[in-house]
Amino acid sequence: MDTEISTPIQFKKKAPKPKGRITTFFISLYDIHKFILRFFKEAFVPPFEFKEIVRQCYEVGVRSFTLISLTGFIVGLIFTKQSRPSLGQFGATSWLPSLVSIAIMRALAPLVTALIAAGKVGSSIGAELGSMRVTEQIDAMEVSGTKPFKFLVCTRVLATTLTIPILATYTGFIAILGGYVNVATNEGTSYSTYMQQVFDPLTFIDFTASLIKSIVFGFTIGIVGSYQGYNSTKGTEGVGKAANGAVVTAMFLIFIEEIVIVQITSWFR
């Protein structure tokens, strides 16, 4: 008696449809939203990594001190030199210290500091966390029972949020000194007279807006760099993309935040 061997019917699996750009964009927004919420959930819950926060503040602040000092001085010097011919046409070179202080304290100091930090600190955070991700160091920390997110992400974001305002304030004063060098060389203005003219037009709103900008910029640099590095993939190529994405995205967001904060503060003037 012949026996027939029945072969199971094989169904071909349908290949998943490629996600569109719009779908990928909204998925990325959702992931970023979860990442930020996770930061606020874990950053202010004990145990706190004070030693790591202090170390990261050192990495962000002290390691950027020389570059910030040189850039701030050059910005004040060049801005004063470029503004003199325009004011000289109207015989208003005496207004130069006031113009320098308003431009630097309201816009240039926080913005220049944030852009430098985005290039130096943001790329460093993205590359460091990205290399830890692709070498599975973060996975090993999760398996061992530690909290890598709190130790790696929260400390870096808090460090940039705390340190960037200090660097921005320092940059502002260094830029004002750079302006003084140019003004004293051309007009012979004394230091006390120059400083009095610098601080006369500034108001409490100017200092407050500059501080808020610096805090927002610092948080943006830290959270963008940490997100790019913490979620990097594809080996060494992913590390490079994480560092590059941290810089480009942070700079783009800094300009957007600058526009929004300037618009909001203008309502209170």
Side-chain angles (χ1 to χ4, degrees), residues 135-207:
T135 56
E136 299 182 354
Q137 295 181 45
I138 296 178
D139 297 333
M141 294 176 67
E142 292 176 348
V143 172
S144 63
T146 58
K147 296 181 178 179
F149 190 92
K150 176 183 284 292
F151 184 79
L152 298 176
V153 175
C154 296
T155 54
R156 284 165 172 78
V157 176
L158 289 175
T160 55
T161 306
L162 294 173
T163 309
I164 296 301
I166 299 174
L167 289 177
T169 304
Y170 172 75
T171 303
F173 285 108
I174 291 297
I176 288 174
L177 289 178
Y180 167 71
V181 171
N182 188 276
V183 172
T185 302
N186 291 274
E187 278 84 22
T189 306
S190 64
Y191 180 79
S192 58
T193 303
Y194 175 81
M195 285 299 174
Q196 183 179 0
Q197 294 176 351
V198 161
F199 287 101
D200 277 345
L202 297 177
T203 62
F204 178 75
I205 296 178
D206 296 327
F207 290 105

Side-chain angles (χ1 to χ4, degrees), residues 74-239:
I74 292 175
V75 165
L77 187 66
I78 297 301
F79 181 81
T80 308
K81 186 177 182 62
Q82 294 294 332
S83 301
R84 176 176 283 102
S86 299
L87 294 178
Q89 293 179 357
F90 303 96
T93 53
S94 60
W95 293 356
L96 196 55
S98 300
L99 176 64
V100 171
S101 66
I102 291 174
I104 288 174
M105 297 308 294
R106 287 186 181 180
L108 290 179
L111 187 60
V112 169
T113 304
L115 292 177
I116 293 175
K120 187 178 186 302
V121 179
S123 61
S124 175
I125 293 175
E128 185 178 6
L129 295 184
S131 62
M132 294 182 69
R133 171 62 73 182
V134 298
T135 56
E136 299 182 354
Q137 295 181 45
I138 296 178
D139 297 333
M141 294 176 67
E142 292 176 348
V143 172
S144 63
T146 58
K147 296 181 178 179
F149 190 92
K150 176 183 284 292
F151 184 79
L152 298 176
V153 175
C154 296
T155 54
R156 284 165 172 78
V157 176
L158 289 175
T160 55
T161 306
L162 294 173
T163 309
I164 296 301
I166 299 174
L167 289 177
T169 304
Y170 172 75
T171 303
F173 285 108
I174 291 297
I176 288 174
L177 289 178
Y180 167 71
V181 171
N182 188 276
V183 172
T185 302
N186 291 274
E187 278 84 22
T189 306
S190 64
Y191 180 79
S192 58
T193 303
Y194 175 81
M195 285 299 174
Q196 183 179 0
Q197 294 176 351
V198 161
F199 287 101
D200 277 345
L202 297 177
T203 62
F204 178 75
I205 296 178
D206 296 327
F207 290 105
T208 304
S210 179
L211 179 62
I212 292 174
K213 284 182 186 179
S214 303
I215 294 174
V216 174
F217 293 163
F219 176 80
T220 301
I221 293 168
I223 203 72
V224 170
S226 299
Y227 175 80
Q228 293 287 346
Y230 200 81
N231 296 283
S232 64
T233 54
K234 297 181 180 179
T236 54
E237 181 184 355
V239 176

Side-chain angles (χ1 to χ4, degrees), residues 213 257-269:
K213 284 182 186 179
E257 291 164 353
E258 172 75 15
I259 296 173
V260 173
I261 296 175
V262 167
Q263 183 63 38
I264 293 174
T265 52
S266 64
W267 295 339
F268 294 94
R269 298 187 188 279

